[in-house]
Amino acid sequence: MITIHHLGVSQSERIVWLMEELGLPYKLKWYDRKANLLAPDELLALHPTAMAPVIEDGDRVLTESAVIVEYICHRHAGGRFTVGPAQPNYYDYLYWMHFNNSTMGLRFTKSALAAGATGPVADTMKRLVKRREEQYYGYMNHRLGESPYLAGREFTCADIMSMFRLTTATLFGARRIDDLQNIVDYVKRIVARPAYGKAMSIAGPKAVAPKA
């Protein structure tokens, strides 16, 4: 059985969501953040590059969301929610699967700049981050005006990879989506999925660690 090492209010919520979508059994091990909001030492000790999410599957310990969702779908679910190279929407799937990391990188940069960086270089970086952020979100909003899901007409792992940034990540400074109607409608479609609702009740930003 897969063990999900879940850090409260983190990207590991998407792995719980995936398991609920697939109907696969899993064990959830919860970790609370330290007072400084960083991950506790017990989670960091799981893997040389450990940060949420982390899963264990037998003797394998995996990190990185995109790796984990593809691994689970191919290893345990016959490729469900994935798109293969021979399929016509493979390009879209591959693009949106990795889109998340680009925008998450902008969020971290924006947070660092907001912490008090000043001077010409900081001013240039702030303008660059703002421009890139608007380009990224504008492109996603355009895409979702063409297609109900990011990779096409069917729900895929690309959607699982993207929702955190549109919802939970706004608590940490990610761009809000209120002015992007196609994205707002998309989020509503995803939120209506029973597996998403169950996963958020278990591991979402308002969930709390289960009592021992």
Side-chain angles (χ1 to χ4, degrees):
M1 180 184 297
I2 289 174
T3 297
I4 303 172
H5 295 274
H6 172 63
L7 177 65
V9 195
S10 80
Q11 296 186 76
S12 54
E13 69 179 38
R14 62 167 62 103
I15 309 305
V16 177
W17 175 23
L18 174 64
M19 298 298 280
E20 292 294 338
E21 289 280 358
L22 293 171
L24 294 174
Y26 63 93
K27 177 181 178 182
L28 186 69
K29 186 170 182 181
W30 186 291
Y31 299 80
D32 287 317
R33 293 177 180 272
K34 296 190 290 189
N36 61 6
L37 300 182
L38 297 178
D41 295 342
E42 310 92 87
L43 178 61
L44 299 179
L46 293 171
H47 188 276
T49 64
M51 54 184 177
V54 180
I55 70 162
E56 286 183 274
D57 186 20
D59 60 355
R60 295 185 180 274
V61 179
L62 291 178
T63 63
E64 298 295 339
S65 294
V67 174
I68 292 170
V69 297
E70 288 268 2
Y71 171 84
I72 291 173
C73 288
H74 286 290
R75 183 82 172 180
H76 296 283
R80 189 179 173 200
F81 297 144
T82 67
V83 175
Q87 294 175 261
N89 61 329
Y90 178 65
Y91 165 87
D92 294 312
Y93 175 76
L94 195 63
Y95 182 83
W96 292 107
M97 273 292 293
H98 296 279
F99 188 81
N100 174 75
N101 284 343
S102 297
T103 53
M104 289 298 287
L106 282 180
R107 180 180 70 78
F108 289 127
T109 303
K110 187 167 69 171
S111 297
L113 290 170
T118 59
V121 174
D123 291 342
T124 298
M125 287 301 298
K126 288 175 183 176
R127 288 194 296 271
L128 176 61
V129 167
K130 178 65 174 176
R131 188 188 76 194
R132 293 294 297 273
E133 186 177 63
E134 292 307 309
Q135 288 173 324
Y136 280 139
Y137 281 79
Y139 184 47
M140 174 180 271
N141 194 58
H142 176 76
R143 171 61 178 168
L144 290 169
E146 300 176 326
S147 175
Y149 298 103
L150 290 170
R153 299 207 58 81
E154 302 296 327
F155 174 85
T156 69
C157 288
D159 302 297
I160 287 175
M161 286 296 298
S162 295
M163 269 294 284
F164 174 84
R165 176 171 32 84
L166 305 176
T167 54
T168 305
T170 61
L171 301 174
F172 297 99
R175 187 196 191 285
R176 301 190 66 83
I177 62 168
D178 310 69
D179 60 327
L180 301 167
Q181 191 58 52
N182 294 332
I183 296 180
V184 169
D185 293 342
Y186 166 75
V187 168
K188 289 178 180 177
R189 285 195 294 277
I190 298 293
V191 168
R193 297 179 70 88
Y196 182 83
K198 183 176 179 182
M200 292 306 103
S201 71
I202 294 169
K206 295 182 180 179
V208 295
K211 294 181 179 179

